[in-house]
């Protein structure tokens, strides 16, 4: 019996890790299913003066389900940023070209939290287009520098700089 008590903390830790890994895997499967079910981008992504607002009026339940997870969904979305597969969703920020799944990940992340694009990409964006969070030409640049921007955002997401920016924003509220 003494042998069992000796290993009890280790066995408890292993059981805890097994449950945690299973929970993370289940969340990823659920997120993956919701992500690929998204059919439209919510209206709040486009400024009111856009020429085609009627196309984007419907809120998508799968999009909203991911938003409800908040920042805990961002690591999953980071893994999708490099996905260049086309969706059937028109991108209102890119002349209604079909959106890529990686673009969709950027959209969702910016609805969860603002991305300071200069801080992340080290590019100066001067002219803002018809979309709230994206400058004119962002998606053209994203198509050329998708891997680079994705790696830069991932580094930013886990950085002290992001934590500092979030604390500053929280103080301003």
């Amino acid at each position: 019996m003494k042998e069992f008590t000796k290993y009890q903390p280790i066995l408890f830790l292993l059981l805890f890790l097994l449950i945690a890994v299973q929970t993370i895997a289940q969340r990823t499967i659920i997120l993956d299913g919701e992500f690929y079910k998204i059919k439209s981008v919510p209206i709040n992504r486009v400024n009111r003066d856009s020429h085609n607002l009627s196309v984007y009026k419907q809120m998508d339940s799968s999009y909203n389900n991911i938003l409800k997870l908040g920042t805990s969904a961002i690591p999953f979305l980071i893994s999708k940023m490099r996905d260049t597969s086309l969706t059937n969703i028109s991108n209102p920020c890119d002349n209604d070209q079909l959106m890529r799944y990686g673009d969709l990940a950027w959209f969702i992340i910016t609805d969860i939290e603002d991305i300071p694009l200069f801080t992340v990409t080290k590019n100066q964006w001067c002219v803002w287009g018809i979309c709230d969070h994206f400058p004119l030409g962002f998606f053209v640049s994203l198509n050329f520098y998708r891997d680079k921007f994705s790696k830069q955002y991932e580094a930013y997401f886990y950085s002290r700089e992001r934590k500092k920016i979030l604390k500053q924003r929280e103080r301003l509220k």
Side-chain angles (χ1 to χ4, degrees), residues 9-153:
I10 295 171
L11 291 172
F12 180 72
L13 180 64
L14 286 172
L15 179 62
F16 175 77
L17 289 173
L18 181 64
I19 292 170
V21 166
Q22 183 179 5
T23 303
I24 291 168
Q26 286 174 340
R27 175 175 266 184
T28 301
I29 290 168
I30 291 168
L31 274 169
D32 207 45
E34 290 293 328
F35 185 73
Y36 289 105
K37 283 196 283 185
I38 295 173
K39 301 288 182 230
S40 64
V41 178
I43 186 70
N44 65 335
R45 302 302 303 134
V46 183
N47 287 335
R48 288 179 179 57
D49 61 349
S50 175
H51 64 284
N52 57 357
L53 287 179
S54 62
V55 178
Y56 304 102
K57 281 188 178 166
Q58 193 167 330
M59 292 295 276
D60 188 286
S61 62
S62 294
Y63 191 100
N64 288 334
N65 288 339
I66 295 173
L67 284 183
K68 288 176 190 174
L69 295 173
T71 56
S72 67
I74 293 179
F76 167 81
L77 293 167
I78 288 171
S79 75
K80 299 298 178 189
M81 289 177 135
R82 292 181 183 91
D83 189 342
T84 58
S85 307
L86 289 175
T87 69
N88 290 321
I89 305 168
S90 293
N91 187 340
C93 303
D94 190 19
N95 297 319
D96 288 323
Q97 299 291 319
L98 286 181
M99 186 179 285
R100 298 175 189 287
Y101 282 107
D103 304 343
L104 187 57
W106 282 92
F107 267 77
I108 298 170
I109 290 171
T110 60
D111 273 346
I112 294 171
E113 68 179 36
D114 286 333
I115 299 175
L117 287 175
F118 176 76
T119 304
V120 172
T121 65
K122 308 300 184 229
N123 289 334
Q124 183 63 46
W125 304 92
C126 298
V127 180
W128 291 91
I130 64 166
C131 288
D132 293 339
H133 299 287
F134 299 109
L136 197 59
F138 176 77
F139 288 96
V140 173
S141 294
L142 181 60
N143 285 328
F144 285 109
Y145 303 110
R146 186 172 299 277
D147 286 341
K148 178 183 173 186
F149 285 0
S150 299
K151 288 174 188 172
Q152 288 171 321
Y153 179 74

Side-chain angles (χ1 to χ4, degrees), residues 134-173:
F134 299 109
L136 197 59
F138 176 77
F139 288 96
V140 173
S141 294
L142 181 60
N143 285 328
F144 285 109
Y145 303 110
R146 186 172 299 277
D147 286 341
K148 178 183 173 186
F149 285 0
S150 299
K151 288 174 188 172
Q152 288 171 321
Y153 179 74
E154 184 174 17
Y156 165 77
F157 180 74
Y158 293 107
S159 73
R160 288 184 181 160
E161 186 172 13
R162 175 179 170 266
K163 290 175 184 154
K164 186 174 134 183
I165 289 171
L166 291 176
K167 281 183 185 178
Q168 288 172 347
R169 287 181 184 162
E170 191 61 35
R171 276 186 260 156
L172 294 174
K173 285 184 179 181

